[in-house]
Amino acid sequence: MCDPFCVKKGHFIMSEVRVRFAPSPTGFLHIGGVHTALFNWLFARRQKGVFILRIEDTDQSRSTDESIQAIIDGMKWVGLDWDEGPFRQTERMDLYRSHAMKLFETRHAYWCVCKAEELEARRKEAEAKGLSPRYDGRCRNLGIVDPPKDAALRFRAPQEGQTVIDDLIKGKVVFDNAVLDDVIILRSNGYPTYNFSVVVDDALMGITDVVRGDDHLTNTPRQIPIFAALGFPVPRFGHLPMILGADKTRLSKRHGATSIMAYKDMGYLPDAMVNYLVRLGWSHGDQELFTRQELIEKFSWDHVQKSAAIFNPDKLLWMNAEYIKTSPPGQVAQALVPLLEQAGLGKEVEAVSDEWLAQLVVLVKERAKTLVEMVEWVKPYFGQEAQFDMEAAKKFLTPTVAPLLHKLLARFEAFPSFSKQVWEESFKKLVEEEGVKMSALAQPVRVALTGRTASPGLFEVMEVLGRGRTLFRLRKGLERASTG
RNA sequence: GUCCCCAUCGUCUAGCCUGGCCUAGGACAUUGCCCUUUCAAGGCAGUAACACGGGUUCAAAUCCCGUUGGGGACACCA
């Protein structure tokens, strides 16, 4: 085994793939973040490499511990497990400072005494004149060696030649170095800036493939010269297409929920989220549904789209419905329990078995597109009595149907135990004998059993309810019908 | 303003690299029909796209150039 960087013919032949997801903890983990994390994770798992979680919290004013927790919770929920970390950049300050000083010593960096306000004023002025809002290089050749406390350190970017990226997704991208700015690498408060801390960390953590959002593409030519100046090998880069809202602008709150945990609360299954997100920018022929294992086996950069994708909640909803229908019922039931408790059914849930809950899921899984919808579908099956929907009862539990209902009840009561087939036959026979339409009896029974006009098949409902409760509810329904 | 990226149905995409098999396939959504004890689910069918203009070629969705359109970046944010 050689170390992470084996150099061969000037290219890096990696013994092991090492990738990272490096969010900044300034809010909730959003859909876009999960998307990038997912592609990195898939690549790592496919290559049997290492997936690292790194928290980029060098912006003290915006980073919070709650956000870090939100990132961790979100990652865990979608099942993207990391092999190293979470690392926090604020715990690695010495590393950035020492490397920054190394750049200063090698004259790759210089002190800048321009004030932030001045800089902004100059930038605005340039913009007003229609010029590029770049740093004018004022301090570049001042040769400051003994800087005031509030000086910032700038990287002396190359001004000539080109920087070429052989992007994993976009292919060859060329930048003229003339457009490069001398970026600040150490702020006047001593904290490193993003473009510097990423380079130091990506190098020190042995990241072989830097895969991030499209919006970082123009950061890459800024970072490559820093790798070089520090004497580090340059990793491969890959820039993923962005996720846009329906109006083709960057996905944001305006487009609805963007926090991954909001989808958990809305009753989405993590596997459905992952499956939907992976299809945003990646494909494998015509296949839409993938198991996690299939994803790992089939993932490659070859079929990653170059263009941005629009987030389509309709398709996500469809996919969630697919997962609800096809996931193991016990697993769905487990995910449903917290939502049932939230709906105030904690006691009822406690009173039933896991098996019965799974049976309940099977009963309603075809009609619920989310777990939240499923809670509504499942409510009528808890408790002894059915909660009548007023209008439904008024319409179907009328004195007219009472005699019919009475006859049905009598027949059912005669059976010592429940049998779907036997009870259904008996039901149909009665309908035939009475010469009424199926629905004339079915709807009143449905309302009696569930309190509502829409439900799964009558006999499946009875099966879940059991003989005792079925008879009980039928009697209650008859009572209601008789009194009007 | 400068630089960079992108461009197939409304949306996600297959096909593009290695031109002909494309009268452009699948999925979501949508429309109609079927199934049906309700609501779903399911089945079948339909509407719908190669941004535009030039090349190259016997042949272009596929290769080249330009235009247009969209997106991104240009902070002591990440």
Side-chain angles (χ1 to χ4, degrees):
Chain A
M1 277 291 269
C2 52
D3 72 354
F5 299 105
C6 305
V7 183
K8 199 180 192 179
K9 286 183 192 164
H11 294 283
F12 301 105
I13 309 297
M14 314 306 179
S15 59
E16 178 184 56
V17 160
R18 291 175 65 83
V19 294
R20 85 308 197 268
F21 172 51
S24 59
T26 54
F28 299 108
L29 179 59
H30 53 90
I31 296 290
V34 175
H35 186 251
T36 357
L38 173 61
F39 281 58
N40 274 286
W41 182 85
L42 247 18
F43 181 57
R45 293 294 170 260
R46 164 88 259 227
Q47 301 295 323
K48 301 210 187 313
V50 175
F51 178 59
I52 299 167
L53 179 60
R54 184 174 75 217
I55 309 294
E56 312 225 319
D57 59 346
T58 56
D59 183 353
Q60 281 203 296
S61 61
R62 298 202 305 153
S63 301
T64 64
D65 287 349
E66 297 80 74
S67 298
I68 295 179
Q69 197 50 49
I71 289 165
I72 291 171
D73 292 345
M75 293 286 284
K76 283 188 177 164
W77 183 63
V78 288
L80 300 184
D81 55 330
W82 52 95
D83 308 301
E84 291 178 21
F87 297 106
R88 288 182 65 157
Q89 291 192 319
T90 46
E91 286 166 356
R92 301 162 61 83
M93 286 304 160
D94 293 347
L95 256 21
Y96 311 125
R97 285 183 193 138
S98 63
H99 283 85
M101 289 329 290
K102 211 167 131 190
L103 286 180
F104 175 69
E105 281 154 23
T106 54
R107 294 192 37 80
H108 279 110
Y110 60 88
W111 292 106
C112 173
V113 292
C114 297
K115 298 270 174 287
E117 312 81 66
E118 290 171 18
L119 256 16
E120 204 183 327
R122 274 188 254 157
R123 198 165 34 239
K124 273 190 182 152
E125 202 180 313
E127 233 167 309
K129 285 185 191 165
L131 265 38
S132 254
R134 303 172 53 204
Y135 175 60
D136 57 12
R138 195 166 293 217
C139 299
R140 195 171 221 248
N141 298 310
L142 256 36
I144 300 167
V145 285
D146 194 19
K149 264 258 176 281
D150 61 349
L153 195 65
R154 278 187 193 269
F155 180 69
R156 197 185 300 273
Q159 300 292 285
E160 285 161 11
Q162 297 180 319
T163 298
V164 181
I165 306 167
D166 195 8
D167 196 276
L168 291 164
I169 294 152
K170 309 269 185 197
K172 194 166 277 186
V173 183
V174 181
F175 292 88
D176 275 329
N177 290 341
V179 305
L180 260 32
D181 224 343
D182 283 352
V183 291
I184 288 179
I185 56 175
L186 230 48
R187 289 184 261 244
S188 52
N189 67 3
Y191 276 74
T193 55
Y194 164 75
N195 275 305
F196 184 61
S197 52
V198 241
V199 171
V200 172
D201 281 341
D202 284 340
L204 262 31
M205 292 178 183
I207 303 300
T208 56
D209 301 80
V210 173
V211 178
R212 71 238 293 197
D214 228 351
D215 47 340
H216 283 289
L217 188 54
T218 50
N219 276 326
T220 306
R222 283 190 256 274
Q223 293 169 10
I224 289 176
I226 302 180
F227 276 100
L230 249 16
F232 290 132
V234 180
R236 290 185 212 101
F237 291 95
H239 291 91
L240 259 13
M242 301 267 83
I243 299 177
L244 273 25
D247 59 356
K248 294 190 179 224
T249 64
R250 231 186 142 118
L251 196 62
S252 72
K253 317 97 223 155
R254 294 183 292 120
H255 302 111
T258 50
S259 151
I260 190 73
M261 288 317 243
Y263 285 88
K264 180 191 179 193
D265 296 341
M266 289 188 290
Y268 286 82
L269 259 18
D271 284 342
M273 287 309 292
V274 163
N275 198 148
Y276 175 70
L277 252 19
V278 82
R279 287 286 292 102
L280 239 40
W282 177 81
S283 60
H284 181 79
D286 285 340
Q287 192 171 349
E288 295 286 352
L289 272 6
F290 300 85
T291 63
R292 208 58 80 105
Q293 196 51 41
E294 270 181 303
L295 246 26
I296 291 169
E297 281 160 14
K298 290 172 175 168
F299 185 79
S300 93
W301 302 121
D302 298 351
H303 293 279
V304 174
Q305 199 83 356
K306 292 177 177 179
S307 48
I310 292 172
F311 185 83
N312 183 349
D314 276 341
K315 187 156 183 179
L316 169 61
L317 188 62
W318 166 78
M319 200 164 270
N320 199 53
E322 285 301 309
Y323 273 88
I324 285 179
K325 276 183 284 185
T326 57
S327 296
Q331 195 181 307
V332 177
Q334 225 173 12
L336 185 67
V337 168
L339 299 193
L340 288 172
E341 285 167 352
Q342 238 173 283
L345 291 165
K347 270 190 192 153
E348 286 84 345
V349 170
E350 229 173 284
V352 300
S353 70
D354 289 352
E355 290 70 31
W356 187 78
L357 230 38
Q359 199 188 342
L360 197 51
V361 166
V362 173
L363 182 70
V364 301
K365 65 179 183 178
E366 262 121 49
R367 28 222 116 199
K369 290 184 190 292
T370 68
L371 258 24
V372 169
E373 283 180 21
M374 190 175 268
V375 168
E376 286 312 308
W377 276 107
V378 119
K379 272 181 181 171
Y381 308 96
F382 289 99
Q384 184 68 8
E385 243 170 280
Q387 301 290 318
F388 291 127
D389 172 88
M390 283 314 170
E391 270 181 51
K394 205 172 153 196
K395 185 170 177 195
F396 293 106
L397 296 179
T398 60
T400 331
V401 295
L404 239 189
L405 231 35
H406 186 81
K407 282 182 195 164
L408 182 74
L409 188 56
R411 293 189 184 200
F412 280 176
E413 278 172 331
F415 296 124
S417 68
F418 178 78
S419 154
K420 209 160 84 176
Q421 212 188 340
V422 174
W423 287 42
E424 185 165 358
E425 269 170 28
S426 153
F427 182 100
K428 284 185 173 158
K429 208 170 155 210
L430 177 65
V431 166
E432 207 180 305
E433 286 169 14
E434 297 291 321
V436 294
K437 276 202 294 185
M438 186 76 169
S439 56
L441 183 57
Q443 281 306 78
V445 169
R446 189 182 313 281
V447 174
L449 256 25
T450 68
R452 324 219 268 223
T453 53
S455 83
L458 246 29
F459 302 95
E460 282 75 25
V461 165
M462 292 180 194
E463 189 169 40
V464 165
L465 249 21
R467 181 178 186 274
R469 266 197 301 169
T470 297
L471 262 21
F472 178 86
R473 289 187 180 193
L474 245 23
R475 273 182 224 115
K476 283 282 177 188
L478 176 58
E479 238 171 71
R480 173 74 182 232
S482 310
T483 55

